[in-house]
Amino acid sequence: MKLQLTSLDQMRTFAELLAGHLRAGDLLILSGNLGAGKTTFTQSLGRALGVAGRITSPTFVIAREHPSLHEGPALVHVDAYRLSGAEELGDLDLDSELEESITVVEWGAGLAEQLSSDYLGLTITPMFDLAADGSGAEGDATADDDADEAAEKAAEDDADEDERRLVELHGHGSSWDARLQRVRDSLRTLAGAIEVSEFDGSDRSADEEDNQ
């Protein structure tokens, strides 16, 4: 399932709609290059879920829990950018909170799948990245230049950009078999706000969930 979002407002609308389909125990694995909009998406999702605290990139804290303000599930926001492998992710002991929370893992492809066989993978790609023929693969990103990374993360937090994004959703496991179709149906009721685009898949983003 692929969506073309043409503005930040559409990203917010999409996150709000998706929040209505989420429940305790859900795992979302976000992929995309630096500055793609992963944190912006999570901020909008957190607002829609009604959780406490300002959601920022938790790169140096690795994981933050945002309790619900309305007796709903907490949001656990994880940034796996600096983790070297699945063992370090396991050391965070996220399993103990998974069933009671909605867990969002940025940079989680190839790592966070160990947490649950049921998860929703989201890949966010700026359309200019597609035009550049996927020149910046997430797997090639390094932490050599912290200043550049901080600038990219700040760009997501400021959320000032109004650029097109391609969002790809891949449901895994039985819990998403029917729900993903309901998400699609809900999006189609928002015609004019969010366009459900028919891409042929020839322009692939750096992080594919398809092979997991």
Side-chain angles (χ1 to χ4, degrees), residues 77 94 112 116 120 138 155 166 173 201:
H77 183 203
L94 297 174
S116 175
L120 180 65
E138 178 182 310
L166 177 64

Side-chain angles (χ1 to χ4, degrees), residues 62-77:
I62 306 299
R64 288 193 180 101
E65 180 176 357
H66 298 270
S68 173
L69 296 172
H70 309 290
E71 299 184 354
L75 175 66
V76 176
H77 183 203

Side-chain angles (χ1 to χ4, degrees), residues 30 32-35 38 57-60 62 78-85 88-89 92 105-109 111 137-146 148-150 152-153:
L30 307 188
N33 295 333
L34 286 168
K38 299 183 296 296
S57 176
T59 298
F60 298 103
I62 306 299
V78 183
D79 194 322
Y81 183 81
R82 293 181 179 274
L83 299 182
S84 60
E88 288 190 7
L89 182 66
L92 297 177
V105 185
E106 297 187 31
W107 302 96
L111 295 174
E138 178 182 310
D140 294 334
T142 67
D144 291 338
D145 194 336
D146 287 343
D148 285 348
E149 177 192 343
E152 293 283 3
K153 294 290 186 179

Side-chain angles (χ1 to χ4, degrees), residues 39-158:
T39 300
T40 297
F41 166 82
T42 308
Q43 289 169 341
S44 300
L45 186 71
R47 282 192 291 268
L49 292 171
V51 299
R54 181 172 179 264
I55 295 175
T56 60
S57 176
T59 298
F60 298 103
V61 179
I62 306 299
R64 288 193 180 101
E65 180 176 357
H66 298 270
S68 173
L69 296 172
H70 309 290
E71 299 184 354
L75 175 66
V76 176
H77 183 203
V78 183
D79 194 322
Y81 183 81
R82 293 181 179 274
L83 299 182
S84 60
E87 183 176 351
E88 288 190 7
L89 182 66
D91 290 342
L92 297 177
D93 197 27
L94 297 174
D95 305 63
S96 63
E97 301 175 333
L98 193 64
E99 293 303 317
E100 293 78 28
S101 306
I102 294 169
T103 302
V104 176
V105 185
E106 297 187 31
W107 302 96
L111 295 174
E113 295 88 350
Q114 65 174 331
L115 296 173
S116 175
S117 58
D118 284 41
Y119 64 91
L120 180 65
L122 293 91
T123 300
I124 304 174
T125 308
M127 295 300 286
F128 59 75
D129 275 6
L130 293 176
D133 198 25
S135 60
E138 178 182 310
D140 294 334
T142 67
D144 291 338
D145 194 336
D146 287 343
D148 285 348
E149 177 192 343
E152 293 283 3
K153 294 290 186 179
E156 288 191 13
D157 291 340
D158 291 340

Side-chain angles (χ1 to χ4, degrees), residues 132-210:
D133 198 25
S135 60
E138 178 182 310
D140 294 334
T142 67
D144 291 338
D145 194 336
D146 287 343
D148 285 348
E149 177 192 343
E152 293 283 3
K153 294 290 186 179
E156 288 191 13
D157 291 340
D158 291 340
D160 289 331
E161 60 186 29
D162 183 12
E163 298 179 353
R164 294 180 299 157
R165 295 290 189 268
L166 177 64
V167 180
E168 303 174 66
L169 292 87
H170 301 274
H172 299 260
S174 58
S175 74
W176 282 103
D177 287 345
R179 269 197 292 170
L180 200 57
Q181 182 59 50
R182 291 197 293 270
V183 171
R184 183 191 296 271
D185 292 342
S186 298
L187 286 169
R188 284 176 172 163
T189 69
L190 297 175
I194 293 179
E195 177 185 355
V196 179
S197 304
E198 299 299 330
F199 285 81
D200 63 8
S202 58
D203 286 323
R204 292 173 180 259
S205 60
D207 295 296
E208 289 285 339
E209 303 288 345
D210 293 335

